[in-house]
Amino acid sequence: MEINGLYFTPNANHYLMGSEEIIRRIQDSTLSVKNLVTDDYFHSFTKPKINDKLEEHAVGEGPSLAAIFEDDKHLHTLINNTNETIEKAFELAWKYAESFEPFRQYYRDNENLDVEAVGKGEHVTESDVKFFAESLAEYKRQHEETTKIVGNMSVGMLLCDASKLKTKMLPSPQKCLEVRRFLYTF
């Protein structure tokens, strides 16, 4: 989380690139296997003897796996479905992240609070008890809500870890609450 917004690490692009990398490595592993059609061990299958006659070797060099990968509509559908699933998962995760918008907003407001000016009484007078009571209640509410943030939440196929968000946000209302309490004692 930054003051200007929330973000995911890794993000959807990293997941998509990782998916592409996995598929590329599987294809590279498959293509690295020696063509078995030309292997002498398999001649009994590729050049069979029928009635003591050697049959014509009709298979040539065998199929081109690279061409099969290029033409395999099922494989391309699988890849597209995987990418769409990742994109939908991140759409759900962003909807979940929107639930943190009020937290981000009060975090930004709290971070922009000029503690020294409040301490000098520039924002309020000492007699403004209502302001202090409202401030104390607000910061206490913020602190309680922040402590209720769930550290890890499964959102579709993603596990959203909000523990860093919680760790970053928790001191914000606590700091403001302590300043208000300190001022209230005078």
Side-chain angles (χ1 to χ4, degrees):
M1 180 189 81
E2 298 296 327
I3 290 178
N4 297 328
L6 299 171
Y7 60 91
F8 288 99
T9 304
N11 61 27
N13 288 336
H14 283 103
Y15 267 89
L16 292 170
M17 288 187 316
S19 172
E20 290 172 9
E21 179 69 14
I22 290 169
I23 292 167
R24 186 189 61 75
R25 286 185 182 200
I26 290 171
Q27 288 177 341
D28 289 348
S29 294
T30 305
L31 293 172
S32 70
V33 175
K34 179 184 168 200
N35 187 343
L36 300 177
V37 172
T38 58
D39 191 325
D40 290 341
Y41 183 78
F42 288 93
H43 280 272
S44 60
F45 303 105
T46 59
K47 297 180 182 180
K49 258 187 174 179
I50 301 175
N51 295 329
D52 288 331
K53 290 185 183 178
L54 195 59
E55 291 292 316
E56 181 84 22
H57 183 65
V59 292
E61 293 295 314
S64 166
L65 290 178
I68 290 172
F69 286 144
E70 288 291 323
D71 296 337
D72 190 346
K73 291 179 181 168
H74 178 68
L75 176 64
H76 292 289
T77 300
L78 201 68
I79 292 169
N80 289 336
N81 289 345
T82 301
N83 291 342
E84 287 175 11
T85 301
I86 291 171
E87 289 168 0
K88 286 179 183 176
F90 272 92
E91 287 173 18
L92 285 172
W94 277 112
K95 286 181 182 178
Y96 170 66
E98 288 173 7
S99 69
F100 292 112
E101 185 57 29
F103 293 95
R104 190 187 67 77
Q105 183 63 42
Y106 79 65
Y107 174 82
R108 186 173 63 204
D109 293 344
N110 292 349
E111 291 300 304
N112 290 333
L113 178 68
D114 188 355
V115 176
E116 289 181 19
V118 172
K120 293 176 184 174
E122 293 177 13
H123 289 291
V124 294
T125 63
E126 287 184 41
S127 63
D128 196 352
V129 175
K130 182 179 178 185
F131 172 79
F132 282 106
E134 289 172 357
S135 295
L136 288 172
E138 176 64 16
Y139 297 132
K140 184 177 180 185
R141 181 193 61 77
Q142 288 178 2
H143 180 74
E144 288 171 355
E145 287 181 5
T146 304
T147 58
K148 293 178 185 176
I149 293 175
V150 178
N152 292 317
M153 176 68 78
S154 292
V155 180
M157 65 181 249
L158 299 175
L159 178 64
C160 295
D161 180 3
S163 58
K164 288 181 183 177
L165 172 87
K166 183 176 181 178
T167 302
K168 186 170 186 173
M169 293 186 79
L170 203 51
S172 178
Q174 188 66 31
K175 174 186 77 170
C176 294
L177 188 60
E178 288 171 7
V179 167
R180 295 290 190 221
R181 283 184 180 150
F182 175 76
L183 292 175
Y184 187 64
T185 59
F186 286 108

